[in-house]
Amino acid sequence: MVNTFGTLQFTSKICIANTGTVVGPVEKDSPFADSFDEVLSLETEKEETNEQANTRMIEKACHWAAKKNHTQVDKVDVLIGGDLINQLSPTNFAARSLAIPFLGVFSACASSMESVILGCLLLESGNAKTVLAGASSHHQAVERQFRYPLQYGTQKPKTSQWTVTGAGFSLLEKDLKNTPVVTHATIGKVVDSFQTNPLHMGAAMASAARDTIERHLTNTNSKMTDFDVIMTGDLGNIGISILKEMFQDENTGVILQDAGAQFYGDDKFFNAGASGAGCSAVVFFSQIYEQLKKGAFKRVLLVATGALLSPLTFQQGETIPCIAHAIECRMEKRG
Amino acid sequence: MDQQQFQKIIDDKNPKVPYFMNILKAFIVGGIICTIGQLITFFYMRFFPFTEGTASNPTVATLVFIAMLLTGTGLYKKIAQFGGAGSAVPVTGFGNAVISAAIEHKSEGYVLGVGGNMFKLAGSVILFGVLSAFVVALIKTILVNLGVVSW
C-alpha cells in the first residue's frame, strides 16, 4: 500500500464480492428501489423500538451480502460498521447476534466509506480474508436523537433533509474475477466551514466533500473527466449545487452527483432530499455497485459525507465540523 | 477558496425563506384554531353553567384533547408543516409538544420514560409562561397602586 497525503493506493486486488441492502417502507418509492435487496413493510419491522429495528436491518443486510456470495455470515473474518445512534448501539447489538469479530466506527454519515476503507486495509495487510463493511441509519431513531419527537409539529425548512431508513453492507474479498475493485481510498479531514444550522447540513458538508475530492484527484493524478461518476453521499439538492459551484468546473454537471439529492426523486415532501449513513451505503451498494458490475461504469469515486454534530454541541453554540471519506472503484474489462 | 468566498456561494444557493406566505399561512391556521376555541367557549357557556371567565378552563382542556387525537394520528405534524407558528403558538401546540414527547419516550417505560420526558419540550413554555405572567402582573399591580390604571 502506498500512502500519499491521505490517499491510499492498494497494491493487492481488493474486490467488492457482493452487497446487501435493506431499506424501510418510505424508501420503496425511491428511484433506486429496484436495486435494493429488501424493503421492510413497517418502519419498526415487527420490533418494539426503532433502535431494535435498526439492529434488525443491519443483520439482514449482512445476511444478504453473505447469502448472495453463497457463504454464511459466521464464515466472515471481521465485521466493520457504524450508525448514527448514541454509542453505536444498533450496530453493536447486531454484532452481538452476528457473533463475528467486530470493529465499530463513527464518522456520522461518512461511516459507510470509513468502514470500507478499514476493511480494505485489513485485506491489504493480509490480516483478513473476508470483511463485511457498511453502515446504517433509521429515520425515526435519528429524528428522536438529533431533532424532535416524531409527532412534534414543527415546520421544516426547504434546506432540511430526511434521514434514510436503510442499511447497506458490502462483502470484501481479494482476487476475484468480474467484480468491482477498490483501487484507492482517500481518508477525510475534519473540515469546518463555520456553519451552524443543523437543518442545513448540505452547506456544512460541501467543503469537506470538496477537500476530499480535490485531494483524491491531485494525489491520484487524475481529473474529473476520468471518472464516470463522482458521487457524494448526502449533500442534498442545495449541498450538491454548492459543491458544483465551488469547483467551478464545467465538467461537474453530469459527473458530480449526489445520492441524497436523487434518493427520493423530485418529491417536495422531503425538502432538500435524503441524508443519513444509510443513504450513501444503500445507494453505493445497490445501483452504483450494479452499474459497475455490469460494466456500465468503469471508474467511480464514492464520497460519503458526514456532519459531526451532536444535539449537545449544537446547543452549546459550536459550529458543525464535517468529514468526507472516499473510495475509488474500478471495473476491469469482463473476461 | 477562502471562507468569505465559500460563504457567498452558500448565501447565493440558499433558498429564500417565503416569509410573507409563512406569515399568511400562520395567520390562517392560527385563526382557525382560535375560532374553534371561541366556538367551544360559546358551547360551554350556552349548554353548561360557565361564565365568560370560567369557560376558558374546559375550552383549553378540550383543545388539548383534540390536539392529542391529531398528534396520535399523525395529522398535527402535517398541519404544522403548513401552518408553522399558527399551529405552534395556540394551546394546541403546547398539547402537541407534551403528547408527542410522551409517545416518543414510551419505549423507556412510564416513570423514567413518559413521566421524565413528557415536559421536555413544553417545560420551557411553562417556565417562561409563568415567569412572564408574574412580571406582567407585577407591572400592573404597581400601575394600579400608582393610580395610573384600575383593575
Side-chain angles (χ1 to χ4, degrees), chain A residues 144 150 153 156 195 200, chain B residues 7 14 77 81 96 104 108:
Chain A
R144 172 211 171 116
L150 207 62
K156 289 193 172 167
Q195 300 301 302
H200 191 4
Chain B
Q7 192 58 46
N14 266 357
K77 202 163 94 166
Q81 180 62 33
N96 168 253
E104 193 82 6
E108 297 111 280

Side-chain angles (χ1 to χ4, degrees), chain A residues 200-214 217 224 230-253 255-259 301 303-305 324, chain B residues 1 6 9-10 13:
Chain A
H200 191 4
M201 295 201 291
M205 294 191 291
S207 48
R210 174 175 165 271
D211 177 78
T212 301
I213 295 171
E214 219 167 48
L217 296 178
M224 237 175 225
I230 296 178
M231 199 171 221
T232 48
D234 55 354
L235 296 178
N237 296 328
I238 303 160
I240 188 71
S241 65
I242 292 172
L243 182 66
K244 284 183 181 181
E245 190 76 25
M246 285 162 96
F247 273 108
Q248 293 169 333
D249 182 338
E250 59 206 26
N251 299 314
T252 57
I255 295 169
L256 207 53
Q257 295 185 25
D258 182 62
L301 185 63
V303 191
T305 42
Chain B
M1 186 173 290
F6 175 63
I9 295 176
I10 293 182
K13 293 285 173 189

